[in-house]
């Protein structure tokens, strides 16, 4: 029998499962196609000495060669293919056709997220080797960050989970790209790495979930939200004190570059949490610029009414806009 022992370039050499080590120690022959295979030093240190064999270039020749080696062995054999994500299907088929019993064994289970390491490596290569990627800055990438986020939103609205997977990848690319650019600056100049991004997020998630990672008790999602807001309020106070500023505002951290309906809704939510009366969300006396001011205040009242009924005004307007677009297309198809 031949055990094809798969290894991962994302897992440190030697970190193999009990089944993998058992197969290696029970084998009469352990074969590797290269003296540079990353598992060799760890195996040699453990007393398992692989034989380096030179395989033919073609898959059929490789299958025939391994089949002959296994047939001549005194017991089970182990083949160490180059590290990767799977075994060559053609090689496995050739071994099976030659009458060799084959077992494919994954030497180590990759932890969730291990494939993100591939993306970091690819981003490093692109930043160095691609003329377009080399020229990009934080500012030049802003438009793409927004576009990719909106495209991801659209797949959710369309109920298209397969496309959502791809669009989230595009959003992730922007995170990796910005972090790679920032890594080119020294820390004292505001530089950071993708690991700094991950560490900052991990610390924030742990800090804002004391009911999961601490001793705080909650009984509902509403309790979680209240705790979350209190923690954010304390964080704003700390940042304001560190910056030598005045008293923190409930509006600190609100991005005013977001779409106007989303901005109005977030401002109103923050004001409500601070205790501002709901009837103050739109001015009783609009600014003195005529119809424009009145329309703006009326929109603020519509936003407040939507939120009072548990609706997201941005989402509802987008849904209405999509329905209107379909009516326009239907009107066009009918010949106007």
């Amino acid at each position: 029998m031949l055990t094809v022992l798969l290894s991962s370039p994302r897992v440190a050499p030697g970190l193999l499962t009990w089944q993998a080590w058992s197969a290696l120690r029970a084998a009469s022959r352990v074969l590797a196609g290269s003296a540079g295979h990353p598992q060799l030093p760890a195996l040699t240190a453990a007393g398992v000495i692989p034989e380096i064999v030179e395989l033919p270039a073609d898959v059929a020749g490789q299958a025939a060669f391994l089949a002959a080696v296994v047939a001549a062995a005194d017991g089970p054999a182990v083949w160490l293919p180059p590290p990767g994500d799977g075994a060559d299907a053609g090689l496995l088929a050739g071994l099976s056709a030659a009458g060799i019993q084959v077992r494919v064994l994954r030497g180590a289970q990759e932890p969730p997220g291990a494939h993100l390491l591939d993306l970091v490596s690819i981003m490093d290569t692109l930043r160095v080797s691609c003329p377009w990627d080399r020229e990009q800055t934080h500012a030049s990438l802003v438009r793409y960050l927004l576009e990719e986020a909106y495209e991801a939103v659209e797949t959710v609205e369309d109920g298209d989970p397969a496309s959502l997977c791809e669009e989230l990848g595009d959003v992730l690319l922007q995170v990796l790209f910005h972090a790679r650019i920032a890594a080119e600056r020294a820390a004292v100049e505001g530089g950071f790495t993708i690991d700094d991004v991950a560490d900052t997020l991990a610390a924030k998630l742990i800090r804002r979930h004391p009911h999961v990672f601490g001793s705080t008790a909650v009984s509902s999602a509403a309790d979680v939200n209240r705790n979350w807001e209190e923690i954010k309020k304390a964080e704003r106070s700390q940042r304001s004190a560190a910056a030598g500023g005045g008293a923190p505002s409930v509006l600190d951290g609100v991005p005013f570059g977001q779409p106007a309906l989303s901005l109005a809704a977030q401002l109103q939510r923050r004001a409500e949490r601070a205790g501002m009366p709901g009837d103050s969300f739109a001015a009783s006396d609009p600014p003195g610029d005529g119809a424009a001011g009145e329309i703006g205040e009326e929109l603020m009242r519509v936003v407040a009414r939507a939120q009072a009924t548990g609706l997201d005004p941005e989402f509802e307007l987008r849904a209405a806009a999509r329905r209107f677009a379909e009516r326009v297309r239907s009107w066009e198809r009918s010949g106007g």
Side-chain angles (χ1 to χ4, degrees):
M1 185 181 79
L2 176 67
T3 296
V4 178
L5 183 58
L6 303 180
S7 57
S8 169
R10 309 175 192 93
V11 178
L15 294 180
L16 303 174
T17 64
W18 177 85
Q19 291 89 345
W21 278 114
S22 296
L24 287 164
R25 294 190 184 282
S28 61
R29 301 183 72 177
V30 177
L31 310 171
S34 168
H37 194 291
Q39 292 290 346
L40 263 58
L43 299 186
T44 301
V48 177
I49 313 300
E51 303 174 42
I52 309 303
V53 295
E54 186 174 346
L55 294 184
D58 62 297
V59 174
Q62 294 173 6
F65 179 88
L66 288 174
V69 170
V70 173
D74 295 331
V78 174
W79 165 243
L80 301 173
D85 294 325
D88 188 289
L91 177 61
L92 296 180
L95 289 167
S96 179
I100 301 300
Q101 183 182 357
V102 179
R103 174 179 65 156
V104 177
L105 183 62
R106 191 167 292 278
Q109 185 64 43
E110 294 178 346
H115 288 234
L116 293 175
L117 297 174
D118 296 348
L119 292 177
V120 173
S121 176
I122 291 169
M123 191 67 252
D124 284 341
T125 301
L126 291 176
R127 183 65 173 171
V128 172
S129 303
C130 174
W132 186 88
D133 288 278
R134 281 200 305 266
E135 293 178 357
Q136 300 313 304
T137 65
H138 292 305
S140 71
L141 291 174
V142 166
R143 56 172 288 197
Y144 302 109
L145 180 60
L146 293 173
E147 289 173 3
E148 301 300 356
Y150 279 122
E151 288 178 11
V153 169
E154 188 170 359
T155 64
V156 174
E157 294 175 342
D158 290 340
D160 187 355
S163 295
L164 175 60
C165 178
E166 179 180 353
E167 296 303 335
L168 288 177
D170 291 341
V171 174
L172 178 58
L173 168 60
Q174 297 305 307
V175 176
L176 291 167
F177 210 153
H178 280 279
R180 179 60 179 79
I181 293 172
E184 297 167 7
R185 301 191 301 270
V188 295
E189 298 173 350
F192 55 86
T193 68
I194 189 63
D195 287 326
D196 294 325
V197 174
D199 289 344
T200 301
L201 176 57
K204 179 185 290 186
L205 291 175
I206 292 172
R207 185 173 64 250
R208 293 187 180 180
H209 290 81
H211 55 288
V212 176
F213 302 103
S215 58
T216 301
V218 297
S219 58
S220 66
D223 288 345
V224 173
N225 284 331
R226 279 191 293 271
N227 287 339
W228 183 281
E229 292 304 323
E230 287 300 318
I231 294 169
K232 288 176 64 176
K233 182 178 179 181
E235 291 172 352
R236 288 195 294 268
S237 296
Q238 292 172 359
R239 283 196 296 268
S240 179
S249 169
V250 70
L251 302 183
D252 290 345
V254 174
F256 278 72
Q258 63 184 303
L261 275 183
S262 295
L263 173 61
Q266 187 174 7
L267 291 173
Q268 290 184 9
R269 287 194 299 270
R270 293 286 188 94
E272 183 179 13
R273 290 167 191 159
M276 184 176 178
D279 56 7
S280 302
F281 290 169
S284 56
D285 296 318
D289 48 2
E294 294 178 1
I295 290 174
E297 297 302 331
E298 180 59 30
L299 287 172
M300 289 292 288
R301 282 188 283 269
V302 170
V303 169
R305 191 166 76 247
Q307 296 202 115
T309 56
L311 300 174
D312 183 325
E314 178 75 17
F315 176 83
E316 297 305 324
L317 183 57
R318 286 178 60 85
R322 290 166 72 88
R323 292 193 296 270
F324 177 73
E326 185 53 41
R327 290 201 302 273
V328 172
R329 295 188 185 99
S330 178
W331 176 79
E332 289 176 327
R333 288 192 296 267
S334 68

